[in-house]
Amino acid sequence: MDKLIIRGGKKLKGEVHISGAKNAALPIITATLLSHGSSTITSVPDLKDVSTIGKLLTYFGAQFSYKNGKALVNTERVKTPEAPYDLVRTMRASVLVLGPLLARFGKAKVSLPGGCAIGARPINLHLLGLEKMGADIKLESGYVLAKGKRLKGTSLYLDVPTVTGTENLMMAATLAKGTTLLENAAREPEVVDLARALMSMGAKIHGAGESIIEIEGVDDLKPLNYSVIPDRIEAGTFMTIAGITGGDITIKGCQREHLDATILKLEDAGLTFENVSDGIRVIGPSRPIASDVKTLPYPGFPTDMQAQFMALMSIADGASIITETVFENRFMHVAELRRMGADITVEGGTATVKGISKLKSAPLMATDLRASASLIVAALASRGETTINRLYHLDRGYEKMGKKLSGIGADIRRVKK
């Protein structure tokens, strides 16, 4: 298993180009199951999760290929609407095949999903919504068994604005008979991007990005040709890297409107931002300023940026309060930051971070995707040489992270154990 070795303390400077958004690419790839024929998706990041979803579609009978940011999917010969445990267990987004398979084939068998261990993240809202649309749902031996000849449009209220739940139900509703209303829907840019991709296939969707989405079912959808939005979490991660290293990084290809909450909080922490051609220039302070943050569904501060922000606050001037409201088990990076000398105490969903002047190097273990990013952020500002193990989490969500960091002056290398 590979590991990263980082020697921190350098002010990073230069340009970073942001990859396509993983959390948009995965549902858009699964959306190809709703059509018959060949689809082309560009700006797809080269990630382990993309490879996994490709293997899953291949298992169904689709043809899947990926090269240089382009995914080609042919769903003409899809025959097996079953997602086995061995393919689903490593990635929660695999559950997104449930809606498309049920809508197109009238049945689906999907293993309960896995992925990062950051909380229970149940799929009950997916299942309740599909049942209300007329599906017969059973749970047997760790699998969801769903049947329904043609789903029917209805009004659905989501108790929480779940992203994957919104996406699954929205995809299922595109081929349902009648109109479906999703109330308290997730508003994330990735949900909007999926809706736009579906509309390019002929779906009739109104209100994506708002709390109520209306989907008017159609008889069939055509293949798509679509380009994925930039990854706002990767962009935000590099912003915290500029902040913690006192660097000067120009982040190219990102969409600032997707980063409003992140930028506002980083400005509170002393970072400065300047709009440039096709990007944002981010300049870090000599030392960050302590700032409180509370994670919320979009357009609030993203839970996927909480760990990186905590790493930044670990060397801030003053004490900050970080409150996690989205996932109940998303402070696993705290123990590793403490190994670097960070002064962090946790009580329930709240962490108190008392900034210290300098972190120290240590051998570290990544526990989930965003935790791995936070450890890299911290290591880039630490004294000495830090080793980060279990990189498979990082490979699930960040494309060529080591290479991008080397390009802006980081002393970082990846070695095989």
Side-chain angles (χ1 to χ4, degrees):
M1 191 179 296
D2 293 4
K3 61 182 178 181
L4 279 181
I5 299 175
I6 300 172
R7 184 169 290 277
K10 299 181 71 175
K11 291 187 176 183
L12 303 189
K13 296 182 180 181
E15 287 187 0
V16 171
H17 291 264
I18 298 303
S19 301
K22 173 183 83 86
N23 290 338
L26 296 178
I28 290 171
I29 291 171
T30 66
T32 63
L33 292 167
L34 292 162
S35 69
H36 298 257
S38 299
S39 293
T40 301
I41 308 166
T42 55
S43 295
V44 177
D46 187 3
L47 300 172
K48 181 66 175 176
D49 277 9
V50 171
S51 174
T52 298
I53 206 73
K55 290 177 181 176
L56 187 55
L57 266 64
T58 301
Y59 181 87
F60 297 150
Q63 293 177 313
F64 179 89
S65 64
Y66 175 87
K67 187 177 181 180
N68 298 329
K70 180 187 290 186
L72 303 177
V73 188
N74 188 315
T75 58
E76 198 69 53
R77 297 182 180 178
V78 172
K79 295 179 181 179
T80 308
E82 177 180 336
Y85 171 75
D86 284 345
L87 288 175
V88 173
R89 64 184 175 87
T90 61
M91 187 178 70
R92 175 175 165 77
S94 301
V95 76
L96 288 168
V97 301
L98 178 60
L101 289 177
L102 181 59
R104 177 173 165 186
F105 296 98
K107 61 181 180 178
K109 181 180 179 182
V110 179
S111 173
L112 293 171
C116 289
I118 57 172
R121 302 202 288 181
I123 63 167
N124 61 302
L125 296 180
H126 306 227
L127 305 184
L128 290 170
L130 292 172
E131 280 187 322
K132 197 169 181 185
M133 294 171 74
D136 177 33
I137 305 288
K138 295 180 181 178
L139 298 178
E140 291 184 6
S141 303
Y143 279 82
V144 177
L145 305 180
K147 292 183 179 180
K149 285 187 177 181
R150 186 178 184 187
L151 300 176
K152 298 176 182 178
T154 187
S155 294
L156 302 172
Y157 179 84
L158 303 178
D159 290 339
V160 294
T162 162
V163 173
T164 54
T166 299
E167 292 169 339
N168 229 342
L169 296 171
M170 182 166 63
M171 286 190 283
T174 59
L175 294 179
K177 184 177 181 179
T179 299
T180 299
L181 285 180
L182 291 180
E183 298 191 49
N184 197 30
R187 300 168 61 187
E188 274 74 1
E190 295 79 13
V191 173
V192 177
D193 209 35
L194 172 61
R196 288 174 178 162
L198 291 168
M199 286 188 285
S200 78
M201 300 170 73
K204 297 181 179 180
I205 302 173
H206 305 280
E210 303 297 329
S211 61
I212 299 177
I213 302 176
E214 180 181 309
I215 309 104
E216 183 183 344
V218 297
D219 291 333
D220 54 62
L221 295 172
K222 63 184 181 182
L224 59 81
N225 190 328
Y226 195 79
S227 184
V228 175
I229 58 171
D231 194 317
R232 62 191 172 101
I233 304 302
E234 184 191 14
T237 299
F238 276 100
M239 290 174 181
T240 61
I241 288 169
I244 203 166
T245 66
D248 186 344
I249 302 174
T250 298
I251 300 172
K252 304 287 280 188
C254 62
Q255 295 186 13
R256 182 165 183 151
E257 63 270 23
H258 296 166
L259 290 152
D260 285 347
T262 297
I263 289 173
L264 286 171
K265 275 298 166 185
L266 291 176
E267 285 179 330
D268 288 346
L271 282 70
T272 57
F273 294 82
E274 175 186 337
N275 288 333
V276 297
S277 176
D278 189 34
I280 306 172
R281 182 185 179 191
V282 188
I283 302 172
S286 56
R287 185 181 183 188
I289 303 165
S291 178
D292 298 342
V293 75
K294 181 178 183 180
T295 65
L296 290 167
Y298 190 86
F301 188 88
T303 181
D304 281 352
M305 279 300 304
Q306 179 257 110
Q308 302 91 305
F309 190 82
M310 184 181 291
L312 179 67
M313 291 297 95
S314 68
I315 65 162
D317 184 8
S320 56
I321 305 295
I322 297 177
T323 305
E324 174 62 54
T325 72
V326 179
F327 292 128
E328 73 276 11
N329 194 24
R330 204 161 203 176
F331 283 148
M332 291 189 291
H333 49 281
V334 168
E336 300 302 296
L337 292 174
R338 284 175 178 158
R339 289 169 56 81
M340 304 180 77
D343 186 350
I344 305 171
T345 57
V346 175
E347 185 173 345
T350 301
T352 302
V353 186
K354 297 178 180 178
I356 61 174
S357 60
K358 198 76 174 178
L359 295 170
K360 61 185 180 182
S361 60
L364 305 173
M365 191 78 70
T367 55
D368 62 69
L369 171 56
R370 303 308 172 186
S372 65
S374 75
L375 301 184
I376 291 172
V377 173
L380 290 168
S382 68
R383 290 193 297 258
E385 192 173 85
T386 296
T387 302
I388 302 175
N389 296 284
R390 290 174 66 177
L391 294 186
Y392 61 86
H393 289 297
L394 183 75
D395 293 341
R396 288 187 51 238
Y398 288 90
E399 182 180 42
K400 298 180 176 63
M401 185 68 155
K403 184 177 180 180
K404 290 182 179 183
L405 286 169
S406 294
I408 55 176
D411 186 344
I412 181 172
R413 68 185 190 277
R414 182 167 180 151
V415 299
K416 293 185 179 296
K417 296 177 68 173

